[in-house]
């Protein structure tokens, strides 16, 4: 099912429920940890230099891209994050003299859809604001990818044995060490500001208040999807720089509404998710068996070929040895015959001489 459709269904179910007056929120609303951190992206300051991408790549030990970070021709195409790039910058021509640039990464939702969709709890909203991921418990169902309204989590499809979900984790470990996230540290234009979320919102409001002609009056992420730990201010409408109107209802609220609306689904949910898990495990088992079988066949085939080559080489060696022996024997026989002939010839000459002397 397509991500948008899935969310649409969830949303629709939630809405119909609210209308019928039967809607009940999950009962445990959560609006972020007090004092948690956030990052403000200011689209009026970003120059599209890609230094933030390079900073992210460096601190996360990610592979260098095909085109170097100072090659800005990549901005001519709309890109999205992938398992090797947790953050990217896109360029938007909005009919102004200059284009507008926008950075894209995980928004670290206060109530993350990825976490509420993950039945093994591989995702976790941390007290510092990061949404982290634990690969050791992940079963690879990729449900988080379907659930995320911002299309952030990506999967290591190229990893045959231990594929992981990959996404920005807001430099969780660096934050614990008191360091800035890699992208924030790298930005030369202060387009990224890091701090506690309440202060960041105040900074954003102040910029809008003191520069009314420069900014539109909206802080994206303050309420979107129940609030996020990445916040955005811009001089143009957010849909012009590729940011969707995702509503202000948090993911768990949407999910709770949808599930409560169809009681049978509530019972089936764990079965369904368990089923997905079992199917994935079975696929992995079959893939492992197939791999083992392929290796066995390859080894047998190689051994057979090696044996055939060995026996051909032995036959050739035997034939050549036999030829050498035959040649030696023939040579010895020829020499013996020749010696015999010489001897016979010598004896003939001696008897002629004897006869001549006798006459
Ligand atoms: S943006 Fe997507 S991946 Fe990031 S926390 Fe929100 S739901 Fe999860
Ligand atoms: S480093 Fe700063 S100015 Fe450069 S692209 Fe990233 S956010 Fe924009």
């Amino acid at each position: 099912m397509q991500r948008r459709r899935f969310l649409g269904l969830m949303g629709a179910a939630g809405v119909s429920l609210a209308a019928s007056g039967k809607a009940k929120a999950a009962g445990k609303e959560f609006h972020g940890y007090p004092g948690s951190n956030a990052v403000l992206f200011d689209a009026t300051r970003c120059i599209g230099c890609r230094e933030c991408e390079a900073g992210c790549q460096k601190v996360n030990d990610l592979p260098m891209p095909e085109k170097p970070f100072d090659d800005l021709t990549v901005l001519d195409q709309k890109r999205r994050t992938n398992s090797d790039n947790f953050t990217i910058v896109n360029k938007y021509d909005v009919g102004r003299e200059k284009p507008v640039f926008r950075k894209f990464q995980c928004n670290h939702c206060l109530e993350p859809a990825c976490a509420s969709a993950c039945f093994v709890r591989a995702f976790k909203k941390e007290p510092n604001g990061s949404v982290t991921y634990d690969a050791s418990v992940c079963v690879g169902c990729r449900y988080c990818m379907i659930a995320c309204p911002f299309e952030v989590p990506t999967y290591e499809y190229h990893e045959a044995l231990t594929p992981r979900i990959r996404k920005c984790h807001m430099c969780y470990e660096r934050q614990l060490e008191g360091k800035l996230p890699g992208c924030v540290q790298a930005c030369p234009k202060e387009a990224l500001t890091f701090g506690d979320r309440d202060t960041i919102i105040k900074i954003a409001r102040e910029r809008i208040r003191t520069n009314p002609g420069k900014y539109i009056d909206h802080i994206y992420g303050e309420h979107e999807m129940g609030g996020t730990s990445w916040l955005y201010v811009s001089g143009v409408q957010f849909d012009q720089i590729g940011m969707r109107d995702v509503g202000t209802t948090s993911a768990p609220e949407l999910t709770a509404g949808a599930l409560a609306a169809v009681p049978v689904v509530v019972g089936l949910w764990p079965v369904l998710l368990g089923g997905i898990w079992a199917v994935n495990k079975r696929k992995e088992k079959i893939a492992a068996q197939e791999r083992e079988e392929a290796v066995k066949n390859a080894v047998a085939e190689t051994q057979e070929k090696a044996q055939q080559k060995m026996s051909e080489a032995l036959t050739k060696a035997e034939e050549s040895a036999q030829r050498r022996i035959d040649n030696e024997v023939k040579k010895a026989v020829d020499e013996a015959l020749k010696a015999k002939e010489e001897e016979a010839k010598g004896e003939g000459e001696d008897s002629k001489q004897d006869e001549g002397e006798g006459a």
Side-chain angles (χ1 to χ4, degrees), residues 130-210:
S130 297
V131 173
T132 54
Y133 161 76
D134 180 355
S136 69
V137 296
C138 175
V139 294
C141 68
R142 280 158 274 170
Y143 211 69
C144 51
M145 291 171 68
I146 301 168
C148 172
F150 302 107
E151 301 185 15
V152 168
T154 57
Y155 191 62
E156 288 179 315
Y157 288 101
H158 57 281
E159 283 293 334
L161 297 177
T162 51
R164 293 166 296 176
I165 294 289
R166 305 289 272 157
K167 72 168 196 75
C168 154
H169 44 88
M170 211 172 150
C171 288
Y172 175 67
E173 282 85 12
R174 283 176 64 85
Q175 281 195 52
L176 294 185
E177 292 168 17
K179 293 181 185 162
L180 286 173
C183 57
V184 178
Q185 184 164 300
C187 179
K189 301 302 284 182
E190 292 184 14
L192 300 168
T193 312
F194 177 83
D196 78 83
R197 192 170 182 271
D198 294 340
T199 310
I200 287 293
I201 289 174
K202 279 187 195 137
I203 292 173
R205 281 227 181 88
E206 195 56 14
R207 280 191 203 167
I208 295 170
R209 191 185 67 77
T210 51

Coordinates of all heavy atoms in Angstrom, one line a residue, residues 130-210:
S130 N 16.5 13.4 20.0 CA 16.8 12.5 18.9 C 15.8 11.4 18.8 O 15.3 10.9 19.9 CB 18.1 11.9 19.1 OG 19.2 12.8 19.1
V131 N 15.5 10.9 17.6 CA 14.8 9.7 17.4 C 15.8 8.7 17.0 O 16.4 8.8 15.9 CB 13.6 9.8 16.4 CG1 13.0 8.4 16.1 CG2 12.6 10.7 17.0
T132 N 16.1 7.7 17.9 CA 17.2 6.8 17.6 C 16.6 5.4 17.1 O 15.4 5.2 17.2 CB 18.1 6.5 18.8 OG1 17.2 6.1 19.9 CG2 18.9 7.8 19.2
Y133 N 17.5 4.6 16.6 CA 17.1 3.3 16.0 C 18.1 2.2 16.5 O 19.3 2.4 16.5 CB 17.2 3.4 14.4 CG 17.2 2.1 13.7 CD1 16.1 1.3 13.5 CD2 18.4 1.7 13.1 CE1 16.1 0.2 12.8 CE2 18.5 0.5 12.4 CZ 17.3 -0.3 12.2 OH 17.4 -1.4 11.5
D134 N 17.5 1.1 16.9 CA 18.4 0.0 17.4 C 18.3 -1.2 16.4 O 17.3 -1.9 16.3 CB 17.8 -0.5 18.8 CG 18.6 -1.6 19.4 OD1 19.5 -2.1 18.7 OD2 18.3 -2.0 20.5
A135 N 19.3 -1.3 15.6 CA 19.3 -2.3 14.5 C 19.3 -3.8 15.1 O 18.8 -4.7 14.4 CB 20.6 -2.2 13.7
S136 N 19.7 -3.9 16.4 CA 19.8 -5.3 16.9 C 18.4 -5.9 17.1 O 18.3 -7.1 17.2 CB 20.6 -5.3 18.2 OG 19.9 -4.7 19.2
V137 N 17.4 -5.1 17.3 CA 16.0 -5.7 17.5 C 15.2 -5.6 16.2 O 14.1 -6.2 16.1 CB 15.3 -5.0 18.7 CG1 16.0 -5.3 20.0 CG2 15.1 -3.5 18.5
C138 N 15.6 -4.8 15.2 CA 14.8 -4.6 14.0 C 14.7 -5.9 13.2 O 15.6 -6.7 13.1 CB 15.6 -3.6 13.1 SG 14.8 -3.3 11.5
V139 N 13.4 -6.2 12.8 CA 13.2 -7.4 12.1 C 13.1 -7.2 10.6 O 12.8 -8.1 9.8 CB 11.9 -8.1 12.6 CG1 12.0 -8.6 14.0 CG2 10.7 -7.2 12.5
G140 N 13.3 -5.9 10.2 CA 13.3 -5.6 8.7 C 11.9 -5.5 8.0 O 11.8 -5.7 6.8
C141 N 10.8 -5.3 8.8 CA 9.5 -5.3 8.2 C 9.3 -4.0 7.4 O 8.4 -4.0 6.6 CB 8.4 -5.5 9.3 SG 8.3 -4.0 10.4
R142 N 10.1 -3.0 7.6 CA 10.0 -1.7 6.9 C 8.7 -0.9 7.1 O 8.3 -0.1 6.3 CB 10.4 -1.9 5.4 CG 11.8 -2.0 5.2 CD 12.1 -2.7 3.9 NE 12.1 -4.1 4.1 CZ 12.2 -5.0 3.1 NH1 12.2 -4.6 1.9 NH2 12.2 -6.3 3.4
Y143 N 8.0 -1.3 8.2 CA 6.8 -0.6 8.5 C 7.0 0.9 8.8 O 6.2 1.7 8.5 CB 6.1 -1.3 9.7 CG 4.6 -1.2 9.6 CD1 4.0 -2.0 8.6 CD2 3.9 -0.4 10.4 CE1 2.6 -1.8 8.4 CE2 2.5 -0.3 10.2 CZ 1.9 -1.0 9.3 OH 0.5 -0.9 9.1
C144 N 8.1 1.2 9.4 CA 8.5 2.6 9.7 C 8.6 3.4 8.4 O 8.2 4.6 8.4 CB 9.8 2.6 10.4 SG 11.1 1.7 9.6
M145 N 9.0 2.8 7.4 CA 9.1 3.5 6.1 C 7.8 3.9 5.6 O 7.6 5.0 5.0 CB 9.9 2.7 5.1 CG 11.4 2.5 5.4 SD 12.2 1.3 4.4 CE 12.2 2.1 2.8
I146 N 6.8 3.0 5.8 CA 5.4 3.3 5.3 C 4.8 4.4 6.2 O 4.1 5.3 5.7 CB 4.6 2.0 5.4 CG1 5.2 0.9 4.5 CG2 3.2 2.3 4.9 CD1 4.6 -0.4 4.7
A147 N 5.1 4.3 7.5 CA 4.4 5.2 8.5 C 4.9 6.6 8.4 O 4.2 7.5 8.6 CB 4.6 4.6 9.9
C148 N 6.2 6.8 8.2 CA 6.8 8.2 8.3 C 6.2 9.1 7.3 O 6.2 8.9 6.1 CB 8.3 8.1 8.1 SG 9.0 9.8 8.0
P149 N 5.5 10.2 7.7 CA 4.9 11.1 6.8 C 5.9 11.9 6.0 O 5.5 12.6 5.0 CB 4.1 12.0 7.7 CG 4.8 12.0 9.0 CD 5.4 10.6 9.1
F150 N 7.1 11.9 6.4 CA 8.1 12.7 5.7 C 9.0 11.9 4.8 O 10.0 12.4 4.2 CB 9.0 13.5 6.7 CG 8.2 14.4 7.6 CD1 8.0 14.1 8.9 CD2 7.6 15.6 7.1 CE1 7.2 14.9 9.7 CE2 6.9 16.4 7.9 CZ 6.6 16.1 9.2
E151 N 8.7 10.6 4.7 CA 9.5 9.6 3.8 C 11.0 9.7 4.1 O 11.8 9.8 3.2 CB 9.2 10.0 2.3 CG 7.8 9.9 1.9 CD 7.6 10.1 0.4 OE1 8.5 10.0 -0.3 OE2 6.4 10.4 0.1
V152 N 11.3 9.5 5.4 CA 12.7 9.6 5.8 C 13.4 8.3 5.9 O 14.4 8.1 5.3 CB 12.8 10.4 7.2 CG1 14.1 10.2 7.8 CG2 12.4 11.8 6.9
P153 N 12.9 7.3 6.7 CA 13.7 6.1 6.8 C 14.0 5.4 5.5 O 13.1 5.3 4.6 CB 12.9 5.2 7.7 CG 11.9 6.1 8.4 CD 11.6 7.1 7.4
T154 N 15.2 5.0 5.3 CA 15.6 4.2 4.1 C 16.2 2.9 4.5 O 16.6 2.7 5.7 CB 16.6 5.0 3.3 OG1 17.8 5.3 4.1 CG2 16.1 6.3 2.8
Y155 N 16.3 2.0 3.6 CA 16.7 0.6 3.9 C 18.0 0.2 3.1 O 18.1 0.7 1.9 CB 15.5 -0.3 3.5 CG 15.6 -1.7 3.9 CD1 15.7 -2.0 5.3 CD2 15.7 -2.8 3.0 CE1 15.7 -3.3 5.7 CE2 15.7 -4.1 3.5 CZ 15.7 -4.4 4.8 OH 15.8 -5.7 5.3
E156 N 18.8 -0.5 3.7 CA 20.1 -0.9 3.0 C 19.8 -2.1 2.1 O 20.1 -3.3 2.5 CB 21.1 -1.3 4.1 CG 21.7 -0.1 4.8 CD 22.7 -0.5 5.8 OE1 22.5 -1.5 6.5 OE2 23.8 0.1 5.9
Y157 N 19.1 -1.9 1.0 CA 18.8 -3.0 0.1 C 20.0 -3.7 -0.4 O 19.9 -4.9 -0.8 CB 18.0 -2.4 -1.1 CG 16.6 -2.0 -0.7 CD1 16.2 -0.7 -0.5 CD2 15.6 -3.0 -0.5 CE1 15.0 -0.3 -0.1 CE2 14.3 -2.6 -0.1 CZ 14.0 -1.3 0.1 OH 12.7 -0.9 0.4
H158 N 21.1 -3.0 -0.5 CA 22.3 -3.6 -1.1 C 23.0 -4.5 -0.1 O 23.9 -5.3 -0.4 CB 23.3 -2.5 -1.6 CG 23.7 -1.6 -0.5 ND1 22.9 -0.5 -0.1 CD2 24.8 -1.5 0.3 CE1 23.4 0.1 0.9 NE2 24.6 -0.4 1.2
E159 N 22.6 -4.5 1.2 CA 23.2 -5.4 2.2 C 22.5 -6.7 2.2 O 21.4 -6.8 2.7 CB 23.2 -4.7 3.6 CG 24.1 -3.6 3.8 CD 25.6 -4.1 3.9 OE1 25.8 -5.3 4.2 OE2 26.5 -3.3 3.6
A160 N 23.2 -7.7 1.8 CA 22.5 -9.0 1.6 C 22.2 -9.7 3.0 O 21.2 -10.3 3.3 CB 23.3 -10.0 0.8
L161 N 23.2 -9.6 3.9 CA 23.1 -10.3 5.2 C 22.4 -9.5 6.3 O 21.6 -10.1 7.0 CB 24.4 -10.9 5.6 CG 25.0 -11.9 4.6 CD1 26.4 -12.3 5.0 CD2 24.1 -13.1 4.4
T162 N 22.9 -8.3 6.6 CA 22.4 -7.6 7.8 C 21.9 -6.2 7.4 O 22.5 -5.2 7.8 CB 23.4 -7.5 8.9 OG1 24.6 -7.0 8.3 CG2 23.7 -8.8 9.5
P163 N 20.9 -6.1 6.5 CA 20.4 -4.8 6.1 C 19.8 -4.0 7.3 O 19.2 -4.6 8.2 CB 19.3 -5.1 5.1 CG 18.9 -6.5 5.4 CD 20.0 -7.2 6.0
R164 N 20.0 -2.7 7.4 CA 19.5 -1.9 8.4 C 18.6 -0.8 7.9 O 18.7 -0.4 6.7 CB 20.6 -1.2 9.2 CG 21.5 -2.1 10.0 CD 22.8 -1.4 10.4 NE 23.5 -1.0 9.3 CZ 24.7 -0.2 9.3 NH1 25.1 0.2 10.5 NH2 25.3 0.1 8.2
I165 N 17.8 -0.2 8.7 CA 17.1 1.0 8.4 C 18.1 2.1 8.7 O 18.8 2.1 9.7 CB 15.8 1.2 9.3 CG1 14.8 0.1 9.0 CG2 15.2 2.6 9.2 CD1 14.1 0.3 7.7
R166 N 18.2 3.1 7.8 CA 19.1 4.2 8.0 C 18.4 5.6 8.0 O 17.6 5.8 7.1 CB 20.2 4.2 7.0 CG 20.9 2.8 6.9 CD 21.8 2.6 8.0 NE 23.2 3.1 7.8 CZ 24.0 3.4 8.8 NH1 23.6 3.2 10.1 NH2 25.2 3.9 8.6
K167 N 18.8 6.4 8.9 CA 18.3 7.8 8.9 C 19.1 8.7 9.8 O 19.9 8.1 10.6 CB 16.8 7.8 9.3 CG 16.6 7.5 10.8 CD 15.2 7.9 11.2 CE 15.1 7.9 12.7 NZ 15.6 9.1 13.3
C168 N 19.0 10.0 9.7 CA 19.6 10.9 10.7 C 19.2 10.6 12.1 O 18.0 10.3 12.3 CB 19.2 12.3 10.3 SG 19.2 13.5 11.6
H169 N 20.1 10.6 13.0 CA 19.7 10.4 14.4 C 20.0 11.7 15.3 O 20.2 11.6 16.5 CB 20.4 9.2 15.0 CG 21.9 9.1 14.6 ND1 22.9 9.7 15.3 CD2 22.5 8.6 13.5 CE1 24.0 9.5 14.7 NE2 23.8 8.9 13.6
M170 N 20.1 12.8 14.6 CA 20.4 14.1 15.2 C 21.7 14.1 16.0 O 21.8 14.7 17.1 CB 19.2 14.5 16.1 CG 18.9 16.0 16.1 SD 17.3 16.2 17.0 CE 17.6 17.8 17.8
C171 N 22.6 13.3 15.5 CA 23.9 13.1 16.2 C 23.8 12.9 17.7 O 24.3 13.6 18.5 CB 24.8 14.4 15.9 SG 25.4 14.4 14.2
Y172 N 23.0 11.8 18.0 CA 22.7 11.5 19.4 C 23.9 11.4 20.3 O 24.0 12.1 21.3 CB 21.9 10.2 19.4 CG 21.6 9.7 20.8 CD1 20.7 10.4 21.6 CD2 22.2 8.5 21.2 CE1 20.4 9.9 22.9 CE2 21.9 8.0 22.5 CZ 21.0 8.7 23.3 OH 20.7 8.2 24.6
E173 N 24.9 10.6 19.8 CA 26.1 10.4 20.6 C 26.9 11.7 20.8 O 27.4 12.0 21.9 CB 27.0 9.4 20.0 CG 26.6 8.0 20.3 CD 25.6 7.5 19.2 OE1 25.5 8.2 18.2 OE2 25.0 6.4 19.4
R174 N 27.0 12.5 19.7 CA 27.7 13.8 19.8 C 27.0 14.7 20.8 O 27.6 15.4 21.6 CB 27.7 14.5 18.5 CG 28.8 13.9 17.5 CD 28.7 14.5 16.2 NE 29.1 15.9 16.2 CZ 30.3 16.4 16.1 NH1 31.3 15.6 16.0 NH2 30.5 17.7 16.1
Q175 N 25.7 14.7 20.8 CA 24.9 15.5 21.8 C 25.2 15.1 23.2 O 25.4 16.0 24.1 CB 23.4 15.4 21.6 CG 22.9 16.2 20.4 CD 21.3 16.2 20.5 OE1 20.8 16.6 21.5 NE2 20.7 15.9 19.4
L176 N 25.3 13.8 23.4 CA 25.7 13.3 24.8 C 27.0 13.8 25.2 O 27.3 14.0 26.4 CB 25.6 11.8 24.9 CG 24.2 11.1 24.7 CD1 24.3 9.6 24.9 CD2 23.2 11.7 25.6
E177 N 27.9 14.0 24.2 CA 29.3 14.5 24.5 C 29.3 16.0 24.6 O 30.4 16.6 24.7 CB 30.3 14.0 23.5 CG 30.5 12.5 23.4 CD 31.3 12.1 22.1 OE1 31.9 13.0 21.5 OE2 31.2 10.9 21.8
G178 N 28.2 16.6 24.5 CA 28.1 18.1 24.5 C 28.5 18.8 23.2 O 28.8 20.0 23.2
K179 N 28.6 18.0 22.1 CA 28.9 18.5 20.8 C 27.7 18.9 20.0 O 26.6 18.3 20.2 CB 29.8 17.5 20.1 CG 31.2 17.3 20.7 CD 31.9 16.3 19.8 CE 33.2 15.9 20.5 NZ 33.7 14.6 19.9
L180 N 27.9 19.7 19.0 CA 26.8 20.1 18.1 C 26.6 19.0 17.0 O 27.6 18.3 16.7 CB 27.2 21.3 17.3 CG 27.2 22.7 18.1 CD1 27.7 23.8 17.2 CD2 25.7 23.0 18.5
P181 N 25.4 18.8 16.5 CA 25.3 17.9 15.4 C 26.2 18.3 14.2 O 26.5 19.5 14.1 CB 23.8 18.1 15.0 CG 23.1 18.6 16.2 CD 24.1 19.4 16.9
G182 N 26.7 17.3 13.5 CA 27.7 17.6 12.4 C 27.3 18.6 11.4 O 28.1 19.5 11.0
C183 N 26.0 18.6 11.0 CA 25.6 19.6 10.0 C 25.6 21.0 10.6 O 26.0 22.0 9.9 CB 24.2 19.2 9.5 SG 22.9 19.1 10.8
V184 N 25.1 21.1 11.8 CA 25.0 22.5 12.5 C 26.4 23.0 12.6 O 26.7 24.2 12.3 CB 24.4 22.4 13.9 CG1 24.3 23.7 14.5 CG2 23.0 21.8 13.7
Q185 N 27.4 22.2 13.0 CA 28.7 22.7 13.2 C 29.4 23.1 11.8 O 30.1 24.1 11.8 CB 29.6 21.5 13.8 CG 31.0 22.0 14.1 CD 31.7 21.0 15.0 OE1 31.2 20.7 16.1 NE2 32.8 20.4 14.5
A186 N 29.0 22.4 10.8 CA 29.6 22.7 9.5 C 29.0 23.9 8.8 O 29.7 24.5 7.9 CB 29.5 21.5 8.6
C187 N 27.8 24.4 9.1 CA 27.2 25.4 8.3 C 27.9 26.8 8.5 O 28.0 27.3 9.6 CB 25.7 25.5 8.7 SG 24.8 26.9 7.8
P188 N 28.3 27.4 7.4 CA 29.1 28.6 7.5 C 28.2 29.9 7.5 O 28.7 31.0 7.7 CB 29.9 28.7 6.2 CG 29.1 27.9 5.2 CD 28.3 26.9 6.0
K189 N 26.9 29.7 7.3 CA 26.0 30.8 7.2 C 25.0 30.9 8.4 O 24.0 31.7 8.4 CB 25.1 30.8 5.9 CG 26.0 30.7 4.7 CD 26.9 31.9 4.5 CE 26.1 33.2 4.1 NZ 27.1 34.3 3.9
E190 N 25.2 30.1 9.4 CA 24.3 30.0 10.6 C 22.8 29.9 10.1 O 21.9 30.5 10.7 CB 24.5 31.3 11.5 CG 25.8 31.3 12.2 CD 26.0 32.4 13.1 OE1 25.0 33.1 13.5 OE2 27.2 32.7 13.5
A191 N 22.7 29.1 9.1 CA 21.3 28.7 8.7 C 20.7 27.7 9.6 O 19.5 27.4 9.6 CB 21.4 28.2 7.2
L192 N 21.6 27.1 10.4 CA 21.2 26.0 11.4 C 21.5 26.5 12.8 O 22.6 26.9 13.1 CB 21.9 24.7 11.1 CG 21.6 24.1 9.7 CD1 22.6 23.0 9.4 CD2 20.2 23.6 9.6
T193 N 20.5 26.5 13.7 CA 20.7 26.9 15.1 C 20.3 25.8 16.0 O 19.1 25.3 15.8 CB 19.9 28.2 15.4 OG1 20.1 29.1 14.3 CG2 20.3 28.8 16.7
F194 N 21.1 25.4 16.9 CA 20.8 24.3 17.8 C 20.6 24.8 19.2 O 21.3 25.7 19.6 CB 22.0 23.3 17.8 CG 21.9 22.1 18.7 CD1 21.2 21.0 18.3 CD2 22.5 22.2 20.0 CE1 21.1 19.9 19.2 CE2 22.5 21.1 20.8 CZ 21.8 20.0 20.4
G195 N 19.7 24.2 19.9 CA 19.4 24.6 21.3 C 18.2 23.9 21.9 O 17.7 23.1 21.2
D196 N 17.8 24.3 23.1 CA 16.6 23.6 23.6 C 15.4 24.1 22.8 O 15.3 25.3 22.4 CB 16.5 23.7 25.1 CG 16.0 25.1 25.6 OD1 14.7 25.2 25.6 OD2 16.8 25.9 25.9
R197 N 14.4 23.3 22.6 CA 13.3 23.5 21.7 C 12.5 24.8 22.1 O 12.2 25.6 21.2 CB 12.3 22.3 21.7 CG 11.4 22.4 20.5 CD 10.6 21.1 20.4 NE 9.7 21.1 19.3 CZ 8.4 21.5 19.3 NH1 7.9 21.9 20.5 NH2 7.7 21.6 18.2
D198 N 12.3 25.1 23.3 CA 11.5 26.3 23.7 C 12.3 27.5 23.3 O 11.7 28.5 22.7 CB 11.3 26.3 25.2 CG 10.4 25.1 25.6 OD1 9.7 24.6 24.7 OD2 10.4 24.8 26.8
T199 N 13.6 27.5 23.5 CA 14.4 28.7 23.1 C 14.5 28.8 21.6 O 14.4 29.9 21.1 CB 15.9 28.5 23.7 OG1 15.8 28.2 25.0 CG2 16.7 29.8 23.5
I200 N 14.6 27.7 20.9 CA 14.6 27.7 19.4 C 13.3 28.3 18.9 O 13.3 29.1 18.0 CB 14.9 26.3 18.9 CG1 16.3 25.9 19.2 CG2 14.5 26.2 17.4 CD1 17.4 26.6 18.4
I201 N 12.2 27.9 19.5 CA 10.9 28.5 19.0 C 10.9 30.0 19.3 O 10.4 30.8 18.4 CB 9.7 27.8 19.7 CG1 9.6 26.3 19.1 CG2 8.4 28.5 19.5 CD1 8.6 25.5 19.8
K202 N 11.4 30.4 20.4 CA 11.4 31.9 20.7 C 12.3 32.6 19.7 O 12.0 33.7 19.2 CB 12.0 32.1 22.1 CG 11.0 31.9 23.2 CD 11.5 32.3 24.6 CE 10.6 31.7 25.6 NZ 11.3 31.1 26.8
I203 N 13.5 32.0 19.4 CA 14.4 32.6 18.4 C 13.6 32.8 17.0 O 13.7 33.8 16.4 CB 15.7 31.8 18.2 CG1 16.5 31.9 19.5 CG2 16.5 32.3 17.0 CD1 17.7 30.9 19.5
A204 N 13.0 31.7 16.6 CA 12.2 31.7 15.3 C 11.2 32.8 15.4 O 11.0 33.6 14.4 CB 11.6 30.3 15.1
R205 N 10.4 32.9 16.5 CA 9.3 33.9 16.6 C 9.9 35.3 16.5 O 9.4 36.2 15.8 CB 8.6 33.8 17.9 CG 7.6 32.7 17.9 CD 6.3 33.1 18.5 NE 5.5 31.9 18.4 CZ 5.5 31.0 19.4 NH1 6.1 31.2 20.5 NH2 4.7 29.9 19.3
E206 N 11.0 35.5 17.1 CA 11.7 36.8 17.2 C 12.1 37.2 15.8 O 12.0 38.3 15.4 CB 12.8 36.7 18.2 CG 13.4 38.1 18.6 CD 12.3 39.0 19.2 OE1 11.2 38.6 19.6 OE2 12.7 40.2 19.3
R207 N 12.7 36.2 15.0 CA 13.1 36.6 13.7 C 11.9 37.0 12.8 O 12.0 37.9 12.0 CB 13.8 35.3 13.0 CG 15.2 35.1 13.4 CD 15.9 34.1 12.6 NE 17.1 33.6 13.4 CZ 17.8 32.5 13.1 NH1 17.5 31.8 12.0 NH2 18.8 32.2 13.8
I208 N 10.8 36.2 12.9 CA 9.6 36.6 12.2 C 9.1 37.9 12.6 O 8.7 38.8 11.7 CB 8.6 35.4 12.3 CG1 9.1 34.1 11.8 CG2 7.2 35.8 11.7 CD1 8.2 32.9 12.1
R209 N 9.0 38.2 13.9 CA 8.5 39.4 14.4 C 9.3 40.6 14.0 O 8.7 41.7 13.5 CB 8.4 39.4 15.9 CG 7.6 40.5 16.6 CD 7.7 40.4 18.1 NE 9.0 40.8 18.6 CZ 9.5 42.0 18.7 NH1 8.8 43.0 18.3 NH2 10.8 42.2 19.2
T210 N 10.6 40.5 14.0 CA 11.4 41.7 13.7 C 11.7 41.8 12.2 O 12.2 42.8 11.8 CB 12.8 41.6 14.4 OG1 13.4 40.3 14.2 CG2 12.6 41.8 15.9

